[in-house]
Amino acid sequence: MAKKLGKKARKFARKNLQSAAKRNRKIRNQFNHRRGPRRGESLPPTLLTSAPLFALPVRARLQGGLIESLLELVSGGSAGREDGDEDVPQRVHDSTMVTNDEDATLIHGLEFPEDDAELDADLSDSDGYLSEDPGCPYYSDSEDEKADKDCIMEDGLDRQNDDMNRDIKKQKKKLKKLLDKDPEFANFLEKWQSELESYRSNKEDSDEDGMDSMDDDDDSNDGNSPNAKVLKSKTISEWCLLVSKDPKSPALRNLLNAFRDACRYGVHSDGLSMQRFQNARVFYQIITFVLSESDNVFRALLEIQDDANKGKIMNLRNSKKWQTVDPLLKSYLRNSLDLLSQLTDNKILAFVLTRLRASVVLFSAYPSTSSRLVKILFRLWASGDQSLSLSAFLMIREVSSLLPDCLDLCLTKSYNTYLGSTKLVNDRNTKHIYFLIDCLVELYSLDVQKSYERAVTSVEQLNAILRQAFKTKEKEDLRKIDNWQYISCVNLWVRFLCCHYKDYNLHPLFSEVLQVIRGVAHLFRGTRYLPLRLRLVQMLNDLSTCSQMFYPIPSLLFDCLEFREVSQKEQTQRTKINFSSLLKVPKNLLKSRDFQEECVLSAIQVLSAHFAQWSYHVSFPEVATIPLFLLKRLHEQTTIESLHRPIKRLIDQVTENKDFIQRKREVVSFSPNDKASVDSFLQEEKFSRNASFTRFYASVAENCQTKGRKTL
C-alpha cells in the first residue's frame, strides 16, 4: 500500500510541482471566463457567434454554440439558422487561454530574478497609421478590387470552413449520444430556449442599427483612407523605386504603412489589413524590401555611419532631424517585433533576424522596445532549430555589445532560458544543449567581472541545495540534485572556468565549484549512478586541465564498476544505451550486457583522458600505480569477452608509459622540490606529441566520437 504524503509534502506539491502549477493556471483561466449571464441578461455575442467551440471555457461553450446545436437536435429542426444557412464559427486569438510554462523550473529558486517591467511603453503613440502624402501613386482598378479581395484568402477559407464543418458534425454526433443517454439533460436545454430567442431578437435590432452606422461610415470613409486601397505589385515597385532614389520621399510613409499591415497580416479580426494585398507576391515584396533597405534608409536620414554607437544615437534625439524620423523609426521597429512575434516559419524568422541585426543600434533610443526584443530573441534562441537559434544568438550578442543597458537582461534571460531548456535531456536535444552552453560561455565572456558575480550567486545556491541534501538525505532534496537542471548548471560554470581561469582571478569560484562536484559524487554511489559519476569525473578532468591541479579521479569510478556475472540469456539480449542522456540507469538495465559494456568503455575513455593529461609529468608512475591495480582486478572479474581486449590495451599502454617516465627520471638530478625543473621535465616530448600513450588516447577519442559516446 502506498504511503500517504504528509501535510508539508502535499503543500509543497501544490505550490511547486510543474503539473500542479499547470493545473492551477488552467483552473484560473477557466474561472476568469466562467461567469454566466445574470437573470434578465442576454448572452454576449462572442459566446454564440465569434468564438470557436474549442477556444471557450466549459460553461461558455455550454451557454453558447453547443446549446444552440443541442436545441436543434432536440427540436429536430434548424433552430438558430435562417434560410438554411449554417453559422460557421470564426477563429479568434484569446491570449488568456494560452498557458506558458517557459519560466517554470524544476528546482525552485535556482533561476535569476527577472524584471517584468511594462514593455513597449515608449511606442504607444505609434500604434496607428502614419499620415500619407495623397500625391503618392496608386495603381489599382476600383472595378477589380472586389475580385482581388475575394481571391486573397479564398483557398484558405475553404479549407478552414471544411475543417470547422467536420468539427461541428463530430460535436453533433457526441451531443446526440448524450441526449439519448440522459433525457433530463434535454429538459435542461429547453429552459434556454426563451433566452436564446430573446437574444436573437435583440441581435436583429442591433444588426439593423449597426448597418445604419456602417452606411454612415462608408459615406465618410471613401477611397482616400490608406487602408481602403488594394496594393498591387506595380504600386509597391513604384514606391520602392522612389525610396531607393530618395530616402526622404513621401513614399516611405506609404511603404511603412504597408509593412505594418503585412506584419499584422491574418492576426487581427478587423479584416482591413488583410484585404490590402492583391496576392502573396505583394506581401513578400513589401516584407523583403523594407527589411533589406530600411537600415540604409534610416542611416541616410539620420546621417550616421555603420560604426554609430548608442552615445551618438542618444545625442541625435534632441536634433530637429530626429523629430522627423522618430515616428517612422518607431513604426518600423515596432512592426518588426510584431512580425517576429507572429511568424512560425523558421527560415523566414532567420531571414528577418539577419536583416534586423544591422539595425540593433537604433533600438537604443527606445529602452522598453529593446527589452521586448531581447525576450523575443531568447524565445527563438531556445527553439531548437539550428539555423534559427544561431541567428537569434548572433543578434543577442550584438544587442549585448552595442546596448550596455541590455547586458544585465541578456545575462539573466540567457541563464534562465538555459535552465528551462535543460528540464529534460534526451537523445534529440543533447546537441542543442551543447550549443546553448557554448553560447552562454561566449555571452558571459563579454563582461567577465559581472559574469563572475552571477556565477558566484548561482554556485552558492547549488551549494545550499547540496548541504540541505547531505543534512536530510530525503528523497525530495536528493531529487533536486539528481536533476538535469542542477548538473547542467554545474557544467556551465565548469566551462566558464575553463575559458577564463588562466586570465582572471577566479579561484574562489573554482573552489566552490570543485566542492559541489565532489559533494555530488560522494552523495550518489552505486552502479545506477555511473552516468552521473562519469559526467562529474569529466568535469574534474576539465578543471584539472585548466588549473594544472591533480585530482584522484580513478577512485570515483572504480567503486561503481562492480558487476555481477552475466548469464547466457542476458548476453543475447541487446539494449541500446546512451549515457549522454542519462543520469541514473533504470533498474531493468543494470543486469544487461550492453549496460556493462557501455560502463567499461566510457570509464576507459575518461581514464584515458586523465592519464593523457599527466602522461609527461614526472609523477606519472605514482599517479598510475593504484589505477593499474584496479584495472587488473577489473580485467580478471569481468565475464564479457568483448571487454577483455580494451581493458588489457589500456593496462599495457599505462604500464608502458609508466616505465618510460621511470627511465627518464633515472637520468635527471633535480629534487622533487625543484618546481621549475619539474615543470620543464619532458617539455620537448610533450610538444612533439609523439609518445605512445598520446597516440593511444587520440585513437580512443576518435572511436568515441565515431560511436557518439560523448558526455555533456
Side-chain angles (χ1 to χ4, degrees):
M1 184 175 179
K3 186 177 179 181
K4 187 176 180 181
L5 291 175
K7 182 178 179 181
K8 291 185 177 180
R10 293 196 302 271
K11 184 177 179 181
F12 177 86
R14 287 195 300 269
K15 287 186 176 181
N16 298 283
L17 289 187
Q18 183 182 7
S19 58
K22 185 175 181 180
R23 183 176 63 253
N24 292 338
R25 283 194 299 271
K26 185 176 180 181
I27 293 174
R28 283 197 301 270
N29 285 334
Q30 290 181 356
F31 273 102
N32 288 338
H33 295 78
R34 286 183 66 172
R35 187 186 73 83
R38 296 177 182 174
R39 195 168 190 178
E41 290 182 352
S42 60
L43 294 177
T46 53
L47 295 183
L48 291 178
T49 57
S50 298
L53 302 180
F54 53 82
L56 295 175
V58 177
R59 183 172 294 181
R61 285 181 293 184
L62 188 62
Q63 294 172 345
L66 293 186
I67 291 286
E68 199 166 18
S69 300
L70 285 169
L71 290 172
E72 179 186 356
L73 291 174
V74 173
S75 61
S78 57
R81 283 162 170 66
E82 297 180 1
D83 300 330
D85 294 334
E86 294 187 355
D87 295 331
V88 180
Q90 301 173 358
R91 295 184 183 273
V92 296
H93 299 269
D94 190 356
S95 59
T96 59
M97 297 302 296
V98 181
T99 58
N100 186 6
D101 297 336
E102 184 177 331
D103 294 330
T105 56
L106 298 180
I107 305 179
H108 181 67
L110 192 59
E111 70 278 5
F112 291 150
E114 297 183 21
D115 183 15
D116 296 330
E118 187 70 21
L119 297 180
D120 232 12
D122 51 11
L123 292 184
S124 59
D125 59 340
S126 62
D127 190 30
Y129 281 89
L130 300 169
S131 59
E132 296 185 1
D133 186 353
C136 278
Y138 271 95
Y139 298 97
S140 60
D141 297 327
S142 57
E143 57 189 21
D144 296 334
E145 286 183 2
K146 186 177 183 304
D148 292 337
K149 294 176 184 178
D150 294 339
C151 293
I152 296 174
M153 299 295 291
E154 182 177 354
D155 295 336
L157 288 175
D158 288 342
R159 288 192 296 269
Q160 186 179 9
N161 290 339
D162 292 340
D163 294 340
M164 289 184 176
N165 286 329
R166 282 195 295 269
D167 292 339
I168 291 174
K169 290 179 181 178
K170 291 180 181 178
Q171 292 287 344
K172 286 183 178 180
K173 291 181 181 179
K174 292 180 181 179
L175 296 174
K176 185 172 179 58
K177 292 180 180 179
L178 180 61
L179 291 175
D180 295 339
K181 185 178 179 181
D182 189 0
E184 294 182 0
F185 187 55
N187 297 331
F188 166 75
L189 295 177
E190 291 178 355
K191 296 179 181 180
W192 291 91
Q193 180 70 34
S194 59
E195 291 195 18
L196 284 173
E197 291 177 354
S198 63
Y199 165 72
R200 292 192 188 99
S201 61
N202 293 335
K203 181 183 177 184
E204 290 175 359
D205 296 337
S206 61
D207 287 344
E208 291 177 0
D209 297 338
M211 290 299 295
D212 295 338
S213 61
M214 287 178 62
D215 292 338
D216 296 337
D217 293 338
D218 291 339
D219 294 337
S220 60
N221 294 330
D222 53 8
N224 296 326
S225 60
N227 58 355
K229 299 179 180 179
V230 175
L231 298 177
K232 296 194 173 183
S233 179
K234 185 177 181 181
T235 302
I236 301 302
S237 299
E238 183 68 20
W239 290 352
C240 294
L241 182 61
L242 292 173
V243 173
S244 299
K245 291 181 178 179
D246 182 13
K248 297 181 180 180
S249 171
L252 178 60
R253 289 177 172 267
N254 298 50
L255 269 177
L256 291 176
N257 280 338
F259 181 66
R260 175 191 182 276
D261 289 334
C263 293
R264 303 184 180 195
Y265 185 83
V267 175
H268 299 285
S269 59
D270 55 8
L272 295 176
S273 62
M274 298 172 61
Q275 300 174 6
R276 292 202 70 194
F277 308 107
Q278 181 187 24
N279 48 41
R281 179 185 175 186
V282 176
F283 173 84
Y284 289 114
Q285 188 179 5
I286 295 170
I287 293 289
T288 304
F289 179 83
V290 173
L291 289 174
S292 301
E293 301 298 331
S294 288
D295 183 68
N296 295 331
V297 169
F298 286 118
R299 288 180 184 273
L301 292 174
L302 295 173
E303 299 178 0
I304 57 176
Q305 302 298 324
D306 294 340
D307 57 350
N309 54 22
K310 179 183 176 181
K312 190 167 185 178
I313 297 296
M314 298 307 292
N315 292 334
L316 281 172
R317 295 200 67 178
N318 298 325
S319 63
K320 185 177 180 180
K321 56 186 173 184
W322 178 270
Q323 305 304 323
T324 305
V325 179
D326 183 52
L328 307 179
L329 184 57
K330 282 183 179 181
S331 176
Y332 168 64
L333 296 180
R334 178 172 190 169
N335 294 325
S336 297
L337 296 187
D338 288 340
L339 183 63
L340 286 176
S341 301
Q342 302 300 333
L343 284 174
T344 57
D345 186 271
N346 291 337
K347 292 183 179 179
I348 301 179
L349 278 168
F351 167 76
V352 175
L353 290 174
T354 303
R355 301 309 310 171
L356 199 58
R357 181 153 52 101
S359 305
V360 164
V361 71
L362 300 178
F363 281 91
S364 61
Y366 312 105
S368 64
T369 314
S370 304
S371 300
R372 182 186 172 197
L373 170 66
V374 168
K375 296 194 175 186
I376 293 174
L377 290 176
F378 279 105
R379 175 177 60 82
L380 300 178
W381 177 57
S383 63
D385 181 81
Q386 183 177 3
S387 176
L388 178 59
S389 296
L390 179 59
S391 299
F393 175 72
L394 291 176
M395 192 165 181
I396 291 170
R397 187 180 60 181
E398 198 81 4
V399 169
S400 303
S401 302
L402 296 179
L403 309 181
D405 295 341
C406 292
L407 180 59
D408 285 333
L409 179 60
C410 289
L411 295 180
T412 300
K413 288 293 293 184
S414 61
Y415 178 78
N416 292 346
T417 303
Y418 170 69
L419 285 182
S421 300
T422 56
K423 290 178 186 177
L424 178 65
V425 176
N426 50 46
D427 296 339
R428 296 187 299 273
N429 67 349
T430 50
K431 186 177 179 181
H432 179 60
I433 292 177
Y434 299 144
F435 169 76
L436 293 182
I437 293 178
D438 292 338
C439 292
L440 265 172
V441 172
E442 184 173 349
L443 191 63
Y444 273 66
S445 300
L446 296 177
D447 191 334
V448 176
Q449 186 59 39
K450 187 175 290 187
S451 302
Y452 170 76
E453 296 172 359
R454 292 174 175 271
V456 169
T457 302
S458 174
V459 176
E460 286 176 352
Q461 294 172 346
L462 298 175
N463 251 329
I465 295 173
L466 182 62
R467 285 193 297 268
Q468 180 69 15
F470 265 110
K471 181 179 178 180
T472 63
K473 297 293 180 68
E474 294 182 357
K475 287 186 177 181
E476 199 65 44
D477 294 325
L478 293 176
R479 285 197 191 103
K480 294 180 181 180
I481 299 175
D482 180 21
N483 179 289
W484 276 113
Q485 287 182 308
Y486 190 97
I487 301 303
S488 300
C489 189
V490 177
N491 190 36
L492 168 64
W493 301 126
V494 169
R495 294 284 297 275
F496 178 76
L497 284 168
C498 291
C499 290
H500 301 291
Y501 184 79
K502 294 181 180 179
D503 301 325
Y504 298 89
N505 181 20
L506 304 178
H507 188 71
L509 177 63
F510 186 93
S511 302
E512 291 284 334
V513 172
L514 183 61
Q515 181 180 352
V516 170
I517 293 175
R518 301 192 65 168
V520 174
H522 288 290
L523 189 61
F524 296 96
R525 300 176 178 273
T527 307
R528 280 196 76 184
Y529 292 98
L530 183 59
L532 175 59
R533 282 285 187 96
L534 288 169
R535 204 169 293 271
L536 297 172
V537 168
Q538 183 61 49
M539 294 181 195
L540 288 176
N541 270 341
D542 296 338
L543 291 177
S544 178
T545 301
C546 74
S547 64
Q548 295 301 308
M549 297 181 185
F550 174 78
Y551 304 106
I553 287 174
S555 61
L556 299 177
L557 283 178
F558 283 102
D559 61 345
C560 295
L561 295 176
E562 297 179 359
F563 310 111
R564 70 168 187 82
E565 185 175 352
V566 181
S567 65
Q568 189 68 26
K569 180 180 178 181
E570 290 168 343
Q571 288 192 17
T572 59
Q573 296 176 350
R574 310 298 294 181
T575 305
K576 185 177 180 181
I577 300 176
N578 185 7
F579 280 0
S580 65
S581 58
L582 288 177
L583 290 179
K584 182 171 62 175
V585 180
K587 289 183 179 180
N588 62 322
L589 297 180
L590 290 176
K591 301 177 182 180
S592 67
R593 170 178 174 172
D594 288 332
F595 168 69
Q596 296 190 14
E597 286 183 353
E598 187 69 19
C599 286
V600 173
L601 295 177
S602 298
I604 289 175
Q605 176 195 357
V606 175
L607 287 172
S608 300
H610 173 67
F611 289 135
Q613 181 185 348
W614 302 101
S615 60
Y616 295 97
H617 199 270
V618 69
S619 62
F620 184 81
E622 288 75 20
V623 170
T625 299
I626 296 179
L628 274 176
F629 172 77
L630 297 174
L631 280 171
K632 290 176 181 178
R633 187 177 68 177
L634 178 64
H635 182 265
E636 294 173 357
Q637 291 178 348
T638 184
T639 59
I640 302 177
E641 292 297 330
S642 60
L643 294 177
H644 285 163
R645 182 177 177 182
I647 298 175
K648 186 65 168 62
R649 187 184 177 198
L650 178 60
I651 294 173
D652 294 342
Q653 290 294 330
V654 173
T655 304
E656 180 182 348
N657 197 74
K658 177 182 175 182
D659 297 338
F660 169 72
I661 297 298
Q662 284 180 335
R663 290 195 303 269
K664 292 293 183 179
R665 278 198 328 196
E666 292 174 357
V667 298
V668 299
S669 58
F670 57 82
S671 167
N673 295 328
D674 188 356
K675 189 175 184 307
S677 299
V678 169
D679 292 340
S680 62
F681 182 72
L682 296 183
Q683 287 300 306
E684 295 182 3
E685 289 83 351
K686 185 175 182 178
F687 287 130
S688 63
R689 306 184 67 83
N690 291 327
S692 175
F693 194 86
T694 303
R695 294 194 297 270
F696 164 74
Y697 174 65
S699 65
V700 170
E702 183 179 355
N703 291 337
C704 290
Q705 263 191 352
T706 303
K707 295 179 181 180
R709 190 183 298 108
K710 184 177 180 181
T711 57
L712 281 173

